[in-house]
mmCIF file of all heavy atoms in Angstrom:
data_model
loop_
_atom_site.group_PDB
_atom_site.id
_atom_site.type_symbol
_atom_site.label_atom_id
_atom_site.label_comp_id
_atom_site.label_asym_id
_atom_site.label_seq_id
_atom_site.Cartn_x
_atom_site.Cartn_y
_atom_site.Cartn_z
ATOM 1 N N HIS A 1 2.104 52.170 49.197
ATOM 2 C CA HIS A 1 0.954 51.271 49.168
ATOM 3 C C HIS A 1 0.792 50.462 50.450
ATOM 4 O O HIS A 1 -0.163 49.688 50.567
ATOM 5 C CB HIS A 1 1.076 50.312 47.983
ATOM 6 C CG HIS A 1 1.170 51.002 46.661
ATOM 7 N ND1 HIS A 1 0.120 51.718 46.119
ATOM 8 C CD2 HIS A 1 2.204 51.113 45.779
ATOM 9 C CE1 HIS A 1 0.491 52.226 44.954
ATOM 10 N NE2 HIS A 1 1.749 51.878 44.729
ATOM 11 N N SER A 2 1.699 50.631 51.411
ATOM 12 C CA SER A 2 1.591 49.902 52.667
ATOM 13 C C SER A 2 2.285 50.691 53.761
ATOM 14 O O SER A 2 3.245 51.422 53.505
ATOM 15 C CB SER A 2 2.211 48.506 52.540
ATOM 16 O OG SER A 2 3.578 48.593 52.167
ATOM 17 N N ALA A 3 1.788 50.531 54.988
ATOM 18 C CA ALA A 3 2.342 51.298 56.107
ATOM 19 C C ALA A 3 2.386 50.450 57.368
ATOM 20 O O ALA A 3 1.562 49.551 57.568
ATOM 21 C CB ALA A 3 1.507 52.553 56.358
ATOM 22 N N LEU A 4 3.363 50.751 58.216
ATOM 23 C CA LEU A 4 3.443 50.169 59.551
ATOM 24 C C LEU A 4 3.221 51.319 60.530
ATOM 25 O O LEU A 4 3.971 52.298 60.528
ATOM 26 C CB LEU A 4 4.803 49.523 59.777
ATOM 27 C CG LEU A 4 4.941 48.659 61.031
ATOM 28 C CD1 LEU A 4 4.029 47.435 60.957
ATOM 29 C CD2 LEU A 4 6.395 48.207 61.208
ATOM 30 N N LEU A 5 2.185 51.217 61.337
ATOM 31 C CA LEU A 5 1.814 52.291 62.253
ATOM 32 C C LEU A 5 2.501 52.099 63.597
ATOM 33 O O LEU A 5 2.469 51.013 64.171
ATOM 34 C CB LEU A 5 0.302 52.318 62.463
ATOM 35 C CG LEU A 5 -0.566 52.357 61.204
ATOM 36 C CD1 LEU A 5 -2.039 52.361 61.586
ATOM 37 C CD2 LEU A 5 -0.230 53.564 60.337
ATOM 38 N N VAL A 6 3.095 53.166 64.094
ATOM 39 C CA VAL A 6 3.746 53.139 65.401
ATOM 40 C C VAL A 6 2.976 54.042 66.350
ATOM 41 O O VAL A 6 2.818 55.240 66.099
ATOM 42 C CB VAL A 6 5.212 53.612 65.305
ATOM 43 C CG1 VAL A 6 5.804 53.762 66.701
ATOM 44 C CG2 VAL A 6 6.029 52.638 64.472
ATOM 45 N N SER A 7 2.481 53.460 67.415
ATOM 46 C CA SER A 7 1.808 54.200 68.474
ATOM 47 C C SER A 7 1.940 53.383 69.748
ATOM 48 O O SER A 7 2.755 52.465 69.828
ATOM 49 C CB SER A 7 0.342 54.460 68.110
ATOM 50 O OG SER A 7 -0.238 55.362 69.039
ATOM 51 N N ASP A 8 1.132 53.709 70.734
ATOM 52 C CA ASP A 8 1.135 52.921 71.956
ATOM 53 C C ASP A 8 0.274 51.680 71.772
ATOM 54 O O ASP A 8 -0.629 51.666 70.932
ATOM 55 C CB ASP A 8 0.630 53.776 73.114
ATOM 56 C CG ASP A 8 1.448 55.046 73.258
ATOM 57 O OD1 ASP A 8 2.687 54.931 73.345
ATOM 58 O OD2 ASP A 8 0.868 56.134 73.253
ATOM 59 N N PRO A 9 0.516 50.628 72.530
ATOM 60 C CA PRO A 9 -0.165 49.355 72.273
ATOM 61 C C PRO A 9 -1.681 49.458 72.210
ATOM 62 O O PRO A 9 -2.311 48.905 71.306
ATOM 63 C CB PRO A 9 0.281 48.483 73.456
ATOM 64 C CG PRO A 9 1.610 49.033 73.849
ATOM 65 C CD PRO A 9 1.498 50.510 73.635
ATOM 66 N N TRP A 10 -2.272 50.184 73.136
ATOM 67 C CA TRP A 10 -3.735 50.233 73.238
ATOM 68 C C TRP A 10 -4.365 51.019 72.097
ATOM 69 O O TRP A 10 -5.569 50.913 71.855
ATOM 70 C CB TRP A 10 -4.117 50.830 74.595
ATOM 71 C CG TRP A 10 -3.075 50.530 75.608
ATOM 72 C CD1 TRP A 10 -2.222 51.412 76.217
ATOM 73 C CD2 TRP A 10 -2.699 49.238 76.094
ATOM 74 N NE1 TRP A 10 -1.349 50.749 77.048
ATOM 75 C CE2 TRP A 10 -1.618 49.417 76.998
ATOM 76 C CE3 TRP A 10 -3.167 47.943 75.860
ATOM 77 C CZ2 TRP A 10 -1.008 48.359 77.656
ATOM 78 C CZ3 TRP A 10 -2.554 46.894 76.514
ATOM 79 C CH2 TRP A 10 -1.489 47.105 77.398
ATOM 80 N N HIS A 11 -3.575 51.784 71.405
ATOM 81 C CA HIS A 11 -4.032 52.612 70.292
ATOM 82 C C HIS A 11 -4.021 51.840 68.972
ATOM 83 O O HIS A 11 -4.577 52.289 67.970
ATOM 84 C CB HIS A 11 -3.090 53.823 70.194
ATOM 85 C CG HIS A 11 -3.599 54.956 69.385
ATOM 86 N ND1 HIS A 11 -2.756 55.947 68.907
ATOM 87 C CD2 HIS A 11 -4.818 55.300 68.945
ATOM 88 C CE1 HIS A 11 -3.447 56.829 68.222
ATOM 89 N NE2 HIS A 11 -4.712 56.455 68.235
ATOM 90 N N SER A 12 -3.390 50.683 68.961
ATOM 91 C CA SER A 12 -3.092 49.991 67.709
ATOM 92 C C SER A 12 -4.330 49.633 66.899
ATOM 93 O O SER A 12 -4.394 49.886 65.693
ATOM 94 C CB SER A 12 -2.283 48.713 67.990
ATOM 95 O OG SER A 12 -1.009 49.013 68.471
ATOM 96 N N LEU A 13 -5.321 49.016 67.533
ATOM 97 C CA LEU A 13 -6.480 48.533 66.788
ATOM 98 C C LEU A 13 -7.255 49.675 66.151
ATOM 99 O O LEU A 13 -7.620 49.608 64.976
ATOM 100 C CB LEU A 13 -7.399 47.723 67.706
ATOM 101 C CG LEU A 13 -8.669 47.166 67.055
ATOM 102 C CD1 LEU A 13 -8.339 46.264 65.874
ATOM 103 C CD2 LEU A 13 -9.509 46.410 68.088
ATOM 104 N N ARG A 14 -7.483 50.744 66.894
ATOM 105 C CA ARG A 14 -8.242 51.863 66.341
ATOM 106 C C ARG A 14 -7.461 52.549 65.220
ATOM 107 O O ARG A 14 -8.031 52.904 64.176
ATOM 108 C CB ARG A 14 -8.599 52.861 67.437
ATOM 109 C CG ARG A 14 -9.475 54.018 66.949
ATOM 110 C CD ARG A 14 -10.193 54.699 68.102
ATOM 111 N NE ARG A 14 -9.277 55.272 69.068
ATOM 112 C CZ ARG A 14 -8.965 56.573 69.087
ATOM 113 N NH1 ARG A 14 -9.472 57.407 68.188
ATOM 114 N NH2 ARG A 14 -8.142 57.036 70.006
ATOM 115 N N ALA A 15 -6.150 52.744 65.419
ATOM 116 C CA ALA A 15 -5.346 53.387 64.382
ATOM 117 C C ALA A 15 -5.342 52.552 63.103
ATOM 118 O O ALA A 15 -5.507 53.094 61.993
ATOM 119 C CB ALA A 15 -3.922 53.601 64.886
ATOM 120 N N ARG A 16 -5.155 51.248 63.242
ATOM 121 C CA ARG A 16 -5.151 50.389 62.047
ATOM 122 C C ARG A 16 -6.501 50.408 61.345
ATOM 123 O O ARG A 16 -6.575 50.467 60.109
ATOM 124 C CB ARG A 16 -4.800 48.958 62.448
ATOM 125 C CG ARG A 16 -4.577 48.026 61.261
ATOM 126 C CD ARG A 16 -4.456 46.586 61.714
ATOM 127 N NE ARG A 16 -5.737 46.078 62.195
ATOM 128 C CZ ARG A 16 -5.888 44.888 62.774
ATOM 129 N NH1 ARG A 16 -4.840 44.102 62.962
ATOM 130 N NH2 ARG A 16 -7.078 44.491 63.171
ATOM 131 N N THR A 17 -7.575 50.369 62.113
ATOM 132 C CA THR A 17 -8.917 50.415 61.526
ATOM 133 C C THR A 17 -9.119 51.699 60.749
ATOM 134 O O THR A 17 -9.630 51.688 59.620
ATOM 135 C CB THR A 17 -9.980 50.301 62.637
ATOM 136 O OG1 THR A 17 -9.794 49.072 63.354
ATOM 137 C CG2 THR A 17 -11.384 50.326 62.061
ATOM 138 N N MET A 18 -8.721 52.816 61.324
ATOM 139 C CA MET A 18 -8.882 54.109 60.655
ATOM 140 C C MET A 18 -8.037 54.192 59.393
ATOM 141 O O MET A 18 -8.492 54.701 58.362
ATOM 142 C CB MET A 18 -8.513 55.240 61.615
ATOM 143 C CG MET A 18 -9.510 55.465 62.734
ATOM 144 S SD MET A 18 -8.940 56.756 63.878
ATOM 145 C CE MET A 18 -10.421 57.004 64.866
ATOM 146 N N ALA A 19 -6.800 53.724 59.463
ATOM 147 C CA ALA A 19 -5.919 53.793 58.295
ATOM 148 C C ALA A 19 -6.473 52.964 57.149
ATOM 149 O O ALA A 19 -6.495 53.419 55.986
ATOM 150 C CB ALA A 19 -4.516 53.320 58.664
ATOM 151 N N ARG A 20 -6.927 51.763 57.439
ATOM 152 C CA ARG A 20 -7.478 50.915 56.383
ATOM 153 C C ARG A 20 -8.763 51.509 55.815
ATOM 154 O O ARG A 20 -8.999 51.440 54.610
ATOM 155 C CB ARG A 20 -7.705 49.507 56.924
ATOM 156 C CG ARG A 20 -6.387 48.785 57.214
ATOM 157 C CD ARG A 20 -6.618 47.367 57.730
ATOM 158 N NE ARG A 20 -5.349 46.671 57.943
ATOM 159 C CZ ARG A 20 -5.237 45.426 58.379
ATOM 160 N NH1 ARG A 20 -6.335 44.719 58.666
ATOM 161 N NH2 ARG A 20 -4.046 44.860 58.547
ATOM 162 N N ASP A 21 -9.590 52.093 56.678
ATOM 163 C CA ASP A 21 -10.806 52.751 56.192
ATOM 164 C C ASP A 21 -10.472 53.924 55.279
ATOM 165 O O ASP A 21 -11.247 54.255 54.375
ATOM 166 C CB ASP A 21 -11.661 53.237 57.357
ATOM 167 C CG ASP A 21 -12.382 52.100 58.074
ATOM 168 O OD1 ASP A 21 -12.343 50.954 57.573
ATOM 169 O OD2 ASP A 21 -12.988 52.366 59.131
ATOM 170 N N ALA A 22 -9.331 54.564 55.519
ATOM 171 C CA ALA A 22 -8.901 55.692 54.687
ATOM 172 C C ALA A 22 -8.258 55.231 53.384
ATOM 173 O O ALA A 22 -7.906 56.056 52.537
ATOM 174 C CB ALA A 22 -7.927 56.577 55.458
ATOM 175 N N GLY A 23 -8.097 53.926 53.202
ATOM 176 C CA GLY A 23 -7.554 53.394 51.957
ATOM 177 C C GLY A 23 -6.077 53.083 51.994
ATOM 178 O O GLY A 23 -5.480 52.838 50.939
ATOM 179 N N LEU A 24 -5.468 53.071 53.194
ATOM 180 C CA LEU A 24 -4.041 52.778 53.313
ATOM 181 C C LEU A 24 -3.860 51.435 54.018
ATOM 182 O O LEU A 24 -4.076 51.332 55.228
ATOM 183 C CB LEU A 24 -3.338 53.880 54.108
ATOM 184 C CG LEU A 24 -1.827 53.716 54.309
ATOM 185 C CD1 LEU A 24 -1.093 53.686 52.969
ATOM 186 C CD2 LEU A 24 -1.288 54.834 55.195
ATOM 187 N N PRO A 25 -3.484 50.380 53.287
ATOM 188 C CA PRO A 25 -3.245 49.081 53.925
ATOM 189 C C PRO A 25 -2.171 49.216 55.012
ATOM 190 O O PRO A 25 -1.066 49.681 54.738
ATOM 191 C CB PRO A 25 -2.776 48.203 52.764
ATOM 192 C CG PRO A 25 -3.355 48.849 51.535
ATOM 193 C CD PRO A 25 -3.310 50.326 51.812
ATOM 194 N N SER A 26 -2.512 48.827 56.224
ATOM 195 C CA SER A 26 -1.630 49.104 57.361
ATOM 196 C C SER A 26 -1.579 47.941 58.336
ATOM 197 O O SER A 26 -2.540 47.166 58.456
ATOM 198 C CB SER A 26 -2.114 50.355 58.108
ATOM 199 O OG SER A 26 -2.118 51.485 57.278
ATOM 200 N N TRP A 27 -0.436 47.879 59.047
ATOM 201 C CA TRP A 27 -0.238 46.954 60.148
ATOM 202 C C TRP A 27 0.328 47.760 61.300
ATOM 203 O O TRP A 27 0.569 48.961 61.160
ATOM 204 C CB TRP A 27 0.701 45.828 59.739
ATOM 205 C CG TRP A 27 0.098 44.969 58.667
ATOM 206 C CD1 TRP A 27 -0.587 43.798 58.839
ATOM 207 C CD2 TRP A 27 0.099 45.212 57.247
ATOM 208 N NE1 TRP A 27 -1.026 43.312 57.624
ATOM 209 C CE2 TRP A 27 -0.619 44.152 56.632
ATOM 210 C CE3 TRP A 27 0.608 46.225 56.437
ATOM 211 C CZ2 TRP A 27 -0.816 44.083 55.259
ATOM 212 C CZ3 TRP A 27 0.411 46.155 55.062
ATOM 213 C CH2 TRP A 27 -0.287 45.088 54.489
ATOM 214 N N THR A 28 0.537 47.133 62.448
ATOM 215 C CA THR A 28 0.959 47.899 63.615
ATOM 216 C C THR A 28 2.196 47.299 64.269
ATOM 217 O O THR A 28 2.379 46.085 64.296
ATOM 218 C CB THR A 28 -0.165 47.962 64.670
ATOM 219 O OG1 THR A 28 -0.552 46.631 65.045
ATOM 220 C CG2 THR A 28 -1.385 48.697 64.113
ATOM 221 N N SER A 29 3.023 48.174 64.799
ATOM 222 C CA SER A 29 4.180 47.787 65.609
ATOM 223 C C SER A 29 4.218 48.739 66.799
ATOM 224 O O SER A 29 4.823 49.811 66.739
ATOM 225 C CB SER A 29 5.475 47.879 64.800
ATOM 226 O OG SER A 29 6.591 47.499 65.593
ATOM 227 N N PRO A 30 3.545 48.382 67.892
ATOM 228 C CA PRO A 30 3.432 49.313 69.024
ATOM 229 C C PRO A 30 4.714 49.433 69.826
ATOM 230 O O PRO A 30 5.561 48.542 69.824
ATOM 231 C CB PRO A 30 2.315 48.689 69.865
ATOM 232 C CG PRO A 30 2.376 47.235 69.552
ATOM 233 C CD PRO A 30 2.788 47.142 68.109
#
């Protein structure tokens, strides 16, 4: 029900936006 997304720093906002839009509550740790 929750995820921490790991990517590069500049990718964080778009990845989090996409994950939440897909129905997965997410935060980021670049």
Side-chain angles (χ1 to χ4, degrees):
H1 302 293
S2 59
L4 191 65
L5 308 179
V6 172
S7 190
D8 304 307
W10 331 112
H11 196 198
S12 293
L13 179 58
R14 184 160 61 100
R16 188 189 70 187
T17 301
M18 289 177 170
R20 291 181 177 180
D21 286 352
L24 180 61
S26 300
W27 295 265
T28 57
S29 180

